[in-house]
Amino acid sequence: ESSHSAKNSPKSIKRKRKSKTITQKKLYQPLESLFSTRVLRISYQPSTIFRVNFLRRTANIRHFCTVIMQKNQLNVTFGACKLEDVTDVAYAKVEIDTDKAVLEEFAKTKPSKPFGDFAVKDTDFLTDAAQVQSQAPYIRAYLFLKFMSLVNDRKVTRPELLQFLQAVINGGFIPSFPLNESTHQYLGLLCSGSGTVVKEGSVVSIVDALGESYSFPGVTDKEFAVLKKSSTVLNSYVALAITSLWNLKTATKVAFAFNAEASALPKDLLESSVTDTGNSNKGAKEVLADLKTLLENSKSLGKKKEVIPSLYFTPQLLGRTFDSIHRVRNIAFFEANSEDKFKETGGNAESLFFSLSEALESLLTQSTSLLRNVESRVNHVITTTGIDVTGLSQGPSNIFAKKEDVSNEIDLYSFEGVRRAGERLIEIADAWNKATELELMVAASTLIKKQQQMQKSVKKEEDPKKQKKMPKLPLGKGNQGIFDDILASGLALEINDENLSSFSARYGVGSKSALALFEDAVASKNMERRRPKLAKGTRDYDPEQQTIREKAINTITNVFKQHGAVSIDTPVFELKETLTGKYGEDSKLIYDLSDQGGELLSLRYDLTVPFARYVALKNLASIKRFHIAKVYRRDQPQMNKGRYREFYQCDFDIAGPSGTMVAESEVLKVVCEILTQVGVGEFAVKINDRVLLDAMIEIAGIDSSMFKSVCSSIDKLDKEPWEKVRKELVVDKGVTEEAADIISKFVVLNGECWEMYEKLTKDGLFNESAKGKEALEKMKVLFGYLDALEITPRIRFDLSLARGLDYYTGLIYEAVTLDPDFKVGSIGGGGRYDGLVGMFSGKDIPAVGASIGIERVFTILEEKAKKAGKVRPTSTVVLVASVGKGMVAEKFKMCNELWKAGIAAETLYQDNPKPQKQLDYAFE
């Protein structure tokens, strides 16, 4: 963060006069003694070489840090491609380094047949070096996006191809291919060792650039299918443009807040510009909230409302523009990470045109309007304050030369149009950035001079003790810290080219320290102003609620232990690959974690899949276990029905061999015992069999590949009428009307176990399916065991039950409450999953289990507790009271005796509490 002269520099780097090559390790050690890891952290490899140019007269440590940061390595691993990383690679701010774990994973890839039928030749590459250099950031962005597509397609990509692309991106040269619909053809040719690149201003062959001994990987047909997605070319333009605009958000708000104080804009006007017009856009409200934070308690704002309209509507305009930026950014991020959609077709740019056209048109118009707005603001602060800007060779008129709206001139449904839009947005971002820096500098300079003028009136005393404290401008709380930093830098005292250049380097968009300073000013003060709130889909538990929960969990635990189960625990997060592909359509509800160390991780969705992983990892042949812990689902919460994003599950599972329906019978007994003992009221357990569902699909003549899709519709019958489900099957999913009618004969049937068995046997509905008849006979065995366990009256045989999870192989069940006062849906469920453990170990271990929907059970119990009266949250039996002073020690002696005897006791913490207060507490 600070510079050091040669005399203060470490001995090992003192008085170096010329360019010298040193290892990163050697450079790292002396720097470590000067800078905390908060400022600079370099993870080195001894083989990594940096060339550092030392100044002739001084060894400026800050210069070394800049060099190192510019040569920073971006570690690449599996996961989402971040647009910020694309930009850093595009502008050569970082070099990429593929994680060893990635290369080891790709070493397992079975190569497909080579691809060599390219539609271009090496003579088709561009020969104009200057033209290639002008497109260098876009070409590098394109290469990195393709690189990340290949990284995330681990079943297709060979490590040699990744290493080749890494060598090209890090090599200091630019492939000389055009960016158009055929770019993937050029890239494929380049991978095969043909084509040219621009190196040090000259066009040379790729062989000359990498060396004749380099082994080119070529491409396989499957790898070429990934490269084929032409929309990546356009996304390279859009990604760079939108990242440039995104980075301006905070700086723009800070600059405008400084302008407001320098120009003495009225604070109430800023608020009315959003609220009085009825504007409800999210961005404008966010801008207003941040401006309020920056200007909180400011005495430098004016009271008059005489201000030009462009300033009056600034929060609205900023908000709309930021909303458009956010929208385009989401589309660009999705495009950068949606390669799977295009594996079969190769992808095309039309998909991006459709997504982006309207969003880009809106953004072009609004960002151009905002550019005009920034021009008005800069001119306004210059005119209002009368500050001298004659020292600038480029004033506002030069910066805003390209402020015309060209959105009507660009065909955003064409390849060339989207490319031009991206280039235009980068021009706007560049002008916007320069204007924001100028606005901030002019406003800060004005405020500095105002403060200096105030301080001139303070008489200087010879005795420092008598010296009065220098007055400071009464700025907003958020602005004050930024102002102090600018004042200390001394860069805003005079407005000239040299100071503006230094000011831009320190406080411009490219400065990470400035961005951190600005964001901290907004975030820290917002934390003071805003009321704390819970994350969506979560809740806190009061002592009374927690008492109910503990009682219910203790009851459930006792039931589990009565049946001989043991307790285990597993991590709250798992490898993403452990969870994916196990939950059918619900896989989209899995919470993914940001990459924090080379592994793709997700929060657990349930406790069953982690249990199967546990059994496989421990190589267990059998276990009867229970597990009570939190799970996470990115669902739409319904708090009043006990549906949350973070919630407890109580699982009971039996893994290992067992007789036909024996383990299932005990699991159903456990479910019924728990729901009875915790007191949920009337309930029923619906049962069905995955094999019977298979048989239904088979009898209806529906292809087995549609099983999951059809079952997801059938599973909606507890909420929707058959007519609506039938329409979904026929219209949306392509099931024939005849097949839908056959399905209806099954799914409308439900009732008591033996009645249903007799009806299905008598009517012969499963006679056309051998596996259906066999499954029905197994149900007969189950019903006999349920009679023995005296739970048959609780069980209902329902052929419409089709739980959506992918891993069930046999019996499935779901518990529901029958009390009309508590419509919370399912309160438990489970089934047999014989193949799940085998997904992890290759060795199938039969298993069956159930999960209690404890949060919904809590919802029922809490409602019942409210009707019954107050719940006592403490277990205290004795309150040790006293009369008179100096009794604290005596009370503690008495409490100690009670605690040693295992009696719950407490006392009040005051030295001499009044008797009435102690009585009130006891009755409470």
Side-chain angles (χ1 to χ4, degrees), residues 86-130:
V86 176
T87 303
D88 285 345
V89 172
Y91 292 106
K93 293 181 180 179
V94 296
E95 292 182 348
I96 60 173
D97 177 33
T98 311
D99 192 274
K100 279 186 178 180
V102 174
L103 295 177
E104 288 171 2
E105 181 72 23
F106 283 109
K108 305 172 187 175
T109 302
K110 296 179 180 179
S112 55
K113 60 182 180 180
F115 184 88
D117 187 18
F118 301 112
V120 297
K121 304 185 293 293
D122 54 359
T123 54
D124 294 328
F125 279 71
L126 299 175
T127 57
D128 186 345

Coordinates of all heavy atoms in Angstrom, one line a residue, residues 86-130:
V86 N -13.2 -13.7 -17.3 CA -13.1 -13.6 -18.8 C -12.4 -12.2 -19.1 O -11.5 -12.1 -20.0 CB -14.5 -13.6 -19.4 CG1 -14.4 -13.3 -20.9 CG2 -15.1 -15.0 -19.2
T87 N -12.8 -11.2 -18.4 CA -12.3 -9.8 -18.7 C -10.8 -9.8 -18.3 O -10.0 -9.2 -19.0 CB -13.1 -8.8 -17.8 OG1 -14.4 -8.9 -18.2 CG2 -12.5 -7.4 -18.1
D88 N -10.4 -10.4 -17.1 CA -9.0 -10.4 -16.7 C -8.1 -11.1 -17.7 O -7.0 -10.6 -18.0 CB -8.9 -11.0 -15.3 CG -9.4 -10.1 -14.2 OD1 -9.6 -8.9 -14.5 OD2 -9.6 -10.6 -13.1
V89 N -8.6 -12.2 -18.2 CA -7.8 -12.9 -19.2 C -7.8 -12.2 -20.5 O -6.8 -12.1 -21.2 CB -8.5 -14.3 -19.5 CG1 -7.8 -15.0 -20.6 CG2 -8.3 -15.2 -18.2
A90 N -8.9 -11.6 -20.9 CA -9.0 -10.8 -22.2 C -8.0 -9.7 -22.2 O -7.4 -9.5 -23.3 CB -10.4 -10.3 -22.4
Y91 N -7.8 -9.0 -21.2 CA -6.9 -7.9 -21.1 C -5.5 -8.2 -20.5 O -4.7 -7.4 -20.1 CB -7.5 -6.7 -20.3 CG -8.7 -6.1 -21.0 CD1 -10.0 -6.3 -20.6 CD2 -8.5 -5.3 -22.2 CE1 -11.1 -5.8 -21.3 CE2 -9.6 -4.8 -22.9 CZ -10.9 -5.0 -22.4 OH -11.9 -4.5 -23.1
A92 N -5.2 -9.6 -20.5 CA -3.9 -10.1 -20.1 C -3.5 -9.6 -18.7 O -2.3 -9.4 -18.5 CB -2.9 -9.7 -21.2
K93 N -4.5 -9.5 -17.8 CA -4.2 -9.1 -16.5 C -3.7 -10.4 -15.7 O -3.1 -10.2 -14.7 CB -5.4 -8.5 -15.8 CG -5.8 -7.1 -16.3 CD -7.0 -6.6 -15.6 CE -7.4 -5.2 -16.1 NZ -8.6 -4.7 -15.4
V94 N -4.2 -11.5 -16.1 CA -3.8 -12.8 -15.5 C -3.4 -13.8 -16.5 O -3.7 -13.7 -17.7 CB -5.0 -13.3 -14.6 CG1 -5.3 -12.4 -13.5 CG2 -6.1 -13.6 -15.5
E95 N -2.6 -14.8 -16.0 CA -2.4 -16.0 -16.8 C -3.1 -17.1 -16.2 O -3.4 -17.1 -15.0 CB -0.9 -16.3 -16.8 CG 0.0 -15.3 -17.6 CD 1.4 -15.7 -17.6 OE1 1.8 -16.6 -16.8 OE2 2.2 -15.1 -18.4
I96 N -3.6 -18.1 -17.0 CA -4.4 -19.2 -16.4 C -3.5 -20.3 -16.1 O -2.5 -20.6 -16.8 CB -5.5 -19.6 -17.4 CG1 -5.0 -20.1 -18.7 CG2 -6.5 -18.5 -17.6 CD1 -6.0 -20.7 -19.6
D97 N -3.9 -21.0 -15.1 CA -3.1 -22.2 -14.6 C -4.1 -23.3 -14.3 O -4.9 -23.1 -13.4 CB -2.2 -21.8 -13.4 CG -1.5 -23.1 -12.9 OD1 -1.1 -23.9 -13.7 OD2 -1.3 -23.1 -11.7
T98 N -4.1 -24.4 -15.1 CA -5.1 -25.4 -14.9 C -4.7 -26.3 -13.6 O -3.6 -26.7 -13.5 CB -5.2 -26.3 -16.1 OG1 -5.3 -25.5 -17.3 CG2 -6.4 -27.3 -16.0
D99 N -5.7 -26.4 -12.8 CA -5.5 -27.2 -11.6 C -5.1 -28.7 -11.9 O -5.6 -29.3 -12.8 CB -6.8 -27.2 -10.8 CG -6.6 -27.7 -9.3 OD1 -6.7 -28.9 -9.2 OD2 -6.4 -26.9 -8.4
K100 N -4.2 -29.2 -11.1 CA -3.7 -30.6 -11.3 C -4.9 -31.6 -11.3 O -4.9 -32.5 -12.0 CB -2.7 -31.0 -10.3 CG -1.3 -30.5 -10.6 CD -0.3 -31.0 -9.6 CE 1.1 -30.6 -9.9 NZ 2.1 -31.1 -9.0
A101 N -5.8 -31.3 -10.4 CA -7.0 -32.2 -10.2 C -7.8 -32.3 -11.5 O -8.3 -33.3 -11.9 CB -7.8 -31.8 -9.1
V102 N -7.8 -31.1 -12.2 CA -8.6 -31.1 -13.5 C -7.9 -32.0 -14.5 O -8.5 -32.8 -15.2 CB -8.7 -29.6 -14.0 CG1 -9.3 -29.6 -15.4 CG2 -9.5 -28.8 -13.0
L103 N -6.6 -31.8 -14.7 CA -5.8 -32.6 -15.6 C -5.9 -34.1 -15.3 O -6.0 -34.9 -16.2 CB -4.4 -32.1 -15.7 CG -4.2 -30.6 -16.2 CD1 -2.7 -30.2 -16.1 CD2 -4.7 -30.4 -17.6
E104 N -5.8 -34.4 -14.0 CA -5.9 -35.8 -13.7 C -7.3 -36.4 -14.0 O -7.4 -37.5 -14.5 CB -5.6 -36.0 -12.2 CG -4.2 -35.8 -11.8 CD -4.0 -35.7 -10.3 OE1 -5.0 -35.9 -9.6 OE2 -2.9 -35.5 -9.8
E105 N -8.3 -35.6 -13.8 CA -9.7 -36.0 -14.2 C -9.8 -36.3 -15.7 O -10.4 -37.2 -16.2 CB -10.7 -35.0 -13.7 CG -12.1 -35.4 -14.0 CD -12.6 -36.5 -13.1 OE1 -12.1 -36.7 -12.0 OE2 -13.6 -37.1 -13.5
F106 N -9.2 -35.3 -16.5 CA -9.3 -35.4 -17.9 C -8.4 -36.5 -18.5 O -8.6 -37.0 -19.6 CB -9.0 -34.1 -18.6 CG -10.1 -33.1 -18.5 CD1 -10.0 -32.0 -17.6 CD2 -11.3 -33.3 -19.2 CE1 -11.0 -31.1 -17.5 CE2 -12.3 -32.4 -19.1 CZ -12.2 -31.3 -18.2
A107 N -7.4 -37.0 -17.7 CA -6.6 -38.1 -18.2 C -7.4 -39.4 -18.3 O -7.0 -40.3 -19.1 CB -5.4 -38.3 -17.2
K108 N -8.6 -39.4 -17.7 CA -9.4 -40.6 -17.7 C -10.3 -40.6 -19.0 O -11.0 -41.6 -19.3 CB -10.3 -40.7 -16.5 CG -9.6 -40.6 -15.2 CD -10.5 -40.5 -14.0 CE -9.8 -40.3 -12.7 NZ -10.8 -40.1 -11.6
T109 N -10.3 -39.5 -19.7 CA -11.2 -39.4 -20.9 C -10.8 -40.4 -22.0 O -9.7 -40.5 -22.3 CB -11.1 -37.9 -21.5 OG1 -11.5 -37.0 -20.5 CG2 -12.1 -37.8 -22.7
K110 N -11.8 -41.1 -22.5 CA -11.6 -42.0 -23.6 C -11.7 -41.2 -24.9 O -12.8 -40.7 -25.2 CB -12.6 -43.1 -23.6 CG -12.5 -44.0 -22.3 CD -13.5 -45.1 -22.4 CE -13.4 -46.0 -21.1 NZ -14.4 -47.1 -21.1
P111 N -10.6 -41.1 -25.6 CA -10.6 -40.2 -26.8 C -11.6 -40.8 -27.9 O -11.6 -42.0 -28.1 CB -9.2 -40.2 -27.3 CG -8.6 -41.4 -26.7 CD -9.3 -41.6 -25.4
S112 N -12.3 -39.9 -28.6 CA -13.1 -40.3 -29.7 C -12.3 -40.2 -31.0 O -11.1 -39.8 -31.0 CB -14.4 -39.5 -29.7 OG -14.1 -38.1 -29.7
K113 N -13.0 -40.3 -32.1 CA -12.2 -40.3 -33.4 C -11.8 -38.9 -33.7 O -12.5 -37.9 -33.4 CB -13.0 -40.9 -34.5 CG -14.3 -40.2 -34.8 CD -15.1 -40.9 -35.9 CE -16.4 -40.2 -36.2 NZ -17.2 -40.8 -37.3
P114 N -10.6 -38.7 -34.3 CA -10.1 -37.4 -34.6 C -11.0 -36.7 -35.7 O -11.6 -37.3 -36.5 CB -8.7 -37.7 -35.2 CG -8.3 -39.0 -34.7 CD -9.6 -39.8 -34.6
F115 N -11.0 -35.4 -35.6 CA -11.8 -34.5 -36.5 C -10.8 -33.7 -37.3 O -9.9 -33.1 -36.8 CB -12.8 -33.6 -35.8 CG -13.6 -32.8 -36.7 CD1 -14.8 -33.3 -37.2 CD2 -13.2 -31.6 -37.2 CE1 -15.6 -32.6 -38.0 CE2 -14.0 -30.8 -38.0 CZ -15.3 -31.4 -38.5
G116 N -10.9 -33.7 -38.7 CA -10.0 -33.0 -39.5 C -10.7 -32.3 -40.7 O -10.0 -31.7 -41.5
D117 N -12.0 -32.5 -40.8 CA -12.7 -31.9 -42.0 C -13.1 -30.5 -41.8 O -14.2 -30.1 -41.6 CB -13.9 -32.8 -42.3 CG -14.6 -32.4 -43.6 OD1 -13.9 -31.7 -44.4 OD2 -15.8 -32.8 -43.7
F118 N -12.1 -29.6 -41.7 CA -12.3 -28.2 -41.4 C -12.7 -27.4 -42.7 O -12.3 -27.7 -43.8 CB -11.1 -27.5 -40.8 CG -10.6 -28.2 -39.6 CD1 -9.4 -28.9 -39.5 CD2 -11.4 -28.1 -38.4 CE1 -9.0 -29.5 -38.4 CE2 -11.0 -28.7 -37.3 CZ -9.8 -29.4 -37.2
A119 N -13.6 -26.4 -42.5 CA -14.1 -25.7 -43.7 C -13.2 -24.5 -44.1 O -13.6 -23.8 -45.0 CB -15.5 -25.2 -43.4
V120 N -12.1 -24.3 -43.4 CA -11.2 -23.2 -43.7 C -9.8 -23.8 -43.9 O -9.5 -25.0 -43.4 CB -11.2 -22.2 -42.6 CG1 -12.5 -21.5 -42.5 CG2 -10.8 -22.8 -41.2
K121 N -8.9 -23.0 -44.5 CA -7.5 -23.4 -44.7 C -6.6 -22.5 -43.9 O -7.0 -21.3 -43.6 CB -7.2 -23.5 -46.1 CG -8.1 -24.4 -47.0 CD -7.6 -24.5 -48.4 CE -7.7 -23.1 -49.1 NZ -9.1 -22.7 -49.4
D122 N -5.3 -22.8 -43.8 CA -4.4 -21.9 -43.1 C -4.2 -20.6 -43.8 O -3.8 -19.6 -43.3 CB -3.1 -22.6 -42.8 CG -2.4 -23.2 -44.0 OD1 -3.0 -23.1 -45.1 OD2 -1.3 -23.8 -43.9
T123 N -4.4 -20.7 -45.1 CA -4.3 -19.4 -45.9 C -5.5 -18.5 -45.7 O -5.4 -17.3 -46.2 CB -4.2 -19.8 -47.4 OG1 -5.3 -20.6 -47.8 CG2 -2.9 -20.5 -47.7
D124 N -6.5 -18.9 -45.0 CA -7.7 -18.0 -44.8 C -7.5 -17.2 -43.5 O -8.3 -16.3 -43.2 CB -8.9 -18.9 -44.6 CG -9.3 -19.6 -45.9 OD1 -9.1 -19.1 -46.9 OD2 -9.9 -20.7 -45.8
F125 N -6.4 -17.4 -42.8 CA -6.2 -16.6 -41.6 C -5.9 -15.2 -42.0 O -5.4 -14.9 -43.1 CB -5.0 -17.2 -40.8 CG -5.4 -18.4 -39.9 CD1 -5.7 -19.6 -40.4 CD2 -5.5 -18.2 -38.5 CE1 -6.0 -20.7 -39.6 CE2 -5.8 -19.3 -37.7 CZ -6.1 -20.5 -38.3
L126 N -6.1 -14.2 -41.1 CA -5.9 -12.8 -41.3 C -4.4 -12.5 -41.5 O -3.6 -13.1 -40.8 CB -6.5 -12.0 -40.2 CG -8.0 -12.1 -40.0 CD1 -8.4 -11.3 -38.8 CD2 -8.8 -11.6 -41.2
T127 N -4.1 -11.6 -42.3 CA -2.7 -11.2 -42.6 C -2.3 -9.9 -42.1 O -1.1 -9.5 -42.0 CB -2.3 -11.3 -44.1 OG1 -3.2 -10.5 -44.8 CG2 -2.5 -12.8 -44.6
D128 N -3.3 -9.1 -41.6 CA -3.1 -7.7 -41.2 C -2.9 -7.8 -39.6 O -3.9 -8.0 -38.9 CB -4.3 -6.9 -41.5 CG -4.1 -5.4 -41.2 OD1 -3.2 -5.1 -40.4 OD2 -4.9 -4.5 -41.6
A129 N -1.7 -7.6 -39.2 CA -1.4 -7.7 -37.8 C -2.1 -6.6 -36.9 O -2.6 -6.9 -35.8 CB 0.1 -7.6 -37.5
A130 N -2.2 -5.4 -37.5 CA -2.9 -4.3 -36.8 C -4.3 -4.7 -36.5 O -4.9 -4.4 -35.5 CB -2.7 -3.0 -37.6

